[in-house]
Amino acid sequence: SGGERRRLAVALALLARPAVLLLDEPTSGLDPAAASVVLRHVARIAASSRIAVAAAVHVPPAKDFVMFDRVLCLTVGGGAAGEGPTADVVRMLEVVIGEVGGITQQRLHNQPDYEFLLDVLAEPRTARKAVAANSRLSGENYGPDTRGARSVISAGGAGGAAVAGSGEVGSGSGAASGLAVLPAYSPPRANWLRRAGLLATRQLRVTAREPALMIAHLALAPVVATILGTVYFDLDMQLPGVQNRAGLFLVAALYQALGGLSAVGVAAASAASAERERDSGLAPLGAAALAAAIVDTVCLRAAPAALFAPVLHNMAGLAGGADRTITVWTCCAVVAMVAASVGRTAWHLTRDAGRANLVAVMIIAAAVTFGGLLTRGGGDSSTAAIFELQKASFVYHAWAAMMISEFTGLPFLQFNPEGYGDGLSLSGRGFLGAFGLDADSLVMHLGALGGIAAGFAVLELVAATTWNMRGMSARFGQTGGGA
C-alpha cells in the first residue's frame, strides 16, 4: 500500500544514519496511529544518533506536535506565520488569536492541543497578523544569524505546517524570510564499512523473508552429494578407486562452480532497488556490491557446501579426519564463491543476464579445462607453455588441494595392471607425483585459491563501482540537460 511504501522509504533513509535527514510529508497517506508511530520513531533515532531532521508535515498529529524542537508554520500563500521553538510559536499564535479574534476561546479549548494552528493558518485575518508578528519578532530577537551555517532550507507548503525537528540544529534561527538554518554540511556519520555492514544486515533479513533460493541450494547440496556418493561409493585402494578419486574431486568442483551462477539471477533481480539506493545516496559506491557478496557467500555458498562435503566424504569412503573434510568443504565453498563473483562481475559489465551467464560459463569452462585432471603442464612440446595457465585456474587449485589432502592420508595403493604379475604398491605421495602435484604444497594451493577469490572480489567491486559512477553520470547529465 501507499502507507507501507511511505514507511519503508523513511526506514531506508534512517538506515544510512545521515547527518541531515529531509522528510517531505512522511505521514502522508497514514492513519493517525501509524503517523504517530513514524514520527516517534524518527524522533527517537534522531535523538540517539544526533541527526538533524527537517520534515514538511501538513497535518501533524496533535499529541506528537510537542516532540518537534523547532517549527516553521506556513500560511496558504507560503508566508512564515511562526518560526522558532515549538512552545514559543504556540504562545505567539495564541496572542495573535487574542488580538485578532475570529477564533473563539471556546473553540480553541474544544480542540486537541496544537490543532488550533491549522485554523490560525487558514483564517486570512489571523494568518496575516501571524506573518507580520513573526517577521517583526524574527528581525528584533533573532536577526539573520547564520553563524557557522553554509546551507539553508526553505520549507514550502499550503495551509499546513513545515516542521524542523529532532537532533542537532544550527544556532541560527532563521531570517525574516522564514528560512530554517541548518549547520554546515558534515559527512555521514556511518563510514563506508559501517554502511556496507548495515546493507549486509538488511540483505540477510531480505534473504530470511524470501528464502526460496537459499532453501533450494541447501536442499540440493546433500541430494547431489548423495548422487555423487552413490556413483563413487566406498572407493577402494585399487587402481580404479584411485583414479575415481581424482575424477570425484573435479566433478565436485565443477558442481560448485555451476551452482555459483545463480548469483547472476540474484543480481539481475535486485538491480532496480540497487539503482534507487545508488541515486538516493543510501548505498555508497561499492558498498552494496560488498554486502551482496558477503550474504551470498554465507547463505548460498558456504552453508550448502557445509552440507555437501560431509555427505560426499562419508559415502565415497575418503580418508578419515575432520581436517580433510574441512579441506573439501573449504575448496567447494571457495570455488562456488569465485564462480558467483565471476557471474556478478559479468552482470555489472554487461547489464544483461543472458550475456553475463554466457561470459561466466566460458570462464568456468576454461578453469575446468585447466583444472589439473584434463590437462597437465610440463614437457617439451611447443604448446607446453600454455598449460601453465592452470596456475590461474581456481578449479585447479581446489582440485589439487583436495587431491593432496586425500592422498597424503591413504596407505599404500595397489596397482595390478595386466602383465605385471602380482602388481606393485605405490604410496599416495608417489601417485600425486604422477599428476605433477607436490605432497607438501597443500597450503600453497589453498593460499592460491584464496588469492584468486580475493582478486575476483576486487574485480567485482571495481566493476560495480564503475557501473555506479556511469549510472550517476548519466542520471545527472540527463537532469542537467533538462534544466
Side-chain angles (χ1 to χ4, degrees):
S1 66
E4 290 174 333
R5 289 194 296 269
R6 178 73 61 178
R7 283 178 286 178
L8 177 60
V10 174
L12 290 175
L14 289 172
L15 183 64
R17 294 292 194 272
V20 177
L21 178 61
L22 307 180
L23 299 176
D24 183 15
E25 299 183 41
T27 59
S28 176
L30 301 180
D31 59 79
S36 178
V37 170
V38 169
L39 291 178
R40 289 182 180 275
H41 187 72
V42 170
R44 180 177 60 83
I45 297 295
S48 61
S49 302
R50 299 179 63 78
I51 300 174
V53 180
V57 184
H58 277 279
V59 186
K63 64 179 181 179
D64 298 322
F65 192 76
V66 69
M67 73 175 61
F68 295 107
D69 299 322
R70 304 180 66 85
V71 295
L72 170 60
C73 298
L74 302 181
T75 65
V76 176
E83 191 280 323
T86 305
D88 293 347
V89 170
V90 171
R91 283 195 296 270
M92 184 200 77
L93 293 178
E94 287 177 341
V95 171
V96 170
I97 292 173
E99 291 180 358
V100 178
I103 302 177
T104 65
Q105 292 295 321
Q106 182 65 31
R107 184 177 176 185
L108 172 61
H109 291 308
N110 288 338
Q111 290 180 324
D113 292 343
Y114 309 119
E115 282 192 1
F116 77 93
L117 294 178
L118 298 177
D119 287 334
V120 172
L121 301 176
E123 291 280 349
R125 288 183 300 167
T126 54
R128 287 194 299 269
K129 183 69 175 179
V131 170
N134 180 69
S135 178
R136 183 172 62 255
L137 290 174
S138 297
E140 293 175 359
N141 298 333
Y142 301 108
D145 185 0
T146 57
R147 291 169 294 182
R150 298 179 184 174
S151 61
V152 295
I153 290 181
S154 178
V163 183
S166 310
E168 290 181 323
V169 294
S171 58
S173 302
S177 62
L179 295 177
V181 181
L182 295 179
Y185 173 77
S186 61
R189 290 171 174 78
N191 59 30
W192 190 91
L193 287 177
R194 170 64 176 164
R195 297 174 78 179
L198 291 172
L199 291 170
T201 301
R202 187 199 62 183
Q203 187 62 36
L204 279 173
R205 293 173 179 170
V206 171
T207 302
R209 288 198 305 267
E210 302 174 1
L213 182 59
M214 182 177 67
I215 291 175
H217 273 279
L218 293 175
L220 285 174
V223 170
V224 174
T226 301
I227 294 174
L228 293 179
T230 302
V231 174
Y232 296 95
F233 184 74
D234 199 17
L235 299 174
D236 56 29
M237 300 299 173
Q238 303 297 322
L239 180 60
V242 171
Q243 293 175 329
N244 284 338
R245 282 178 169 84
L248 170 62
F249 294 137
L250 183 63
V251 172
L254 176 60
Y255 162 72
Q256 297 295 333
L258 293 177
L261 294 180
S262 65
V264 175
V266 175
S270 60
S273 61
E275 290 178 2
R276 288 195 300 269
E277 292 172 355
R278 176 202 67 194
D279 294 340
S280 67
L282 175 63
L285 297 180
L290 177 61
I294 291 173
V295 175
D296 181 273
T297 298
V298 173
C299 298
L300 303 183
R301 315 304 160 198
L307 299 178
F308 177 85
V311 174
L312 183 65
H313 195 276
N314 291 328
M315 291 191 66
L318 302 179
D323 57 334
R324 291 180 171 84
T325 303
I326 292 175
T327 298
V328 173
W329 167 66
T330 300
C331 292
C332 289
V334 176
V335 165
M337 181 181 73
V338 173
S341 185
V342 169
R344 286 190 298 269
T345 301
W347 160 256
H348 289 308
L349 294 176
T350 64
R351 305 303 295 171
D352 180 83
R355 285 182 290 172
N357 271 313
L358 178 61
V359 171
V361 167
M362 293 297 102
I363 293 176
I364 291 173
V368 172
T369 300
F370 294 98
L373 181 62
L374 304 180
T375 56
R376 179 184 169 190
D380 298 324
S381 65
S382 58
T383 60
I386 198 172
F387 293 120
E388 294 301 314
L389 290 174
Q390 69 179 192
K391 294 179 180 178
S393 169
F394 62 95
V395 174
Y396 165 70
H397 290 292
W399 175 82
M402 289 187 284
M403 287 282 289
I404 294 171
S405 176
E406 172 68 10
F407 282 94
T408 54
L410 293 178
F412 283 98
L413 309 172
Q414 301 299 318
F415 289 84
N416 295 295
E418 185 178 354
Y420 281 85
D422 295 333
L424 52 88
S425 297
L426 185 65
S427 68
R429 288 174 173 266
F431 185 79
L432 289 172
F435 284 92
L437 298 175
D438 183 356
D440 297 321
S441 61
L442 174 61
V443 175
M444 184 272 290
H445 285 291
L446 290 176
L449 181 61
I452 293 174
F456 273 108
V458 172
L459 182 61
E460 178 186 350
L461 290 179
V462 171
T465 302
T466 301
W467 167 73
N468 278 328
M469 295 176 66
R470 186 170 64 240
M472 293 174 66
S473 299
R475 179 179 177 85
F476 292 142
Q478 292 173 359
T479 303

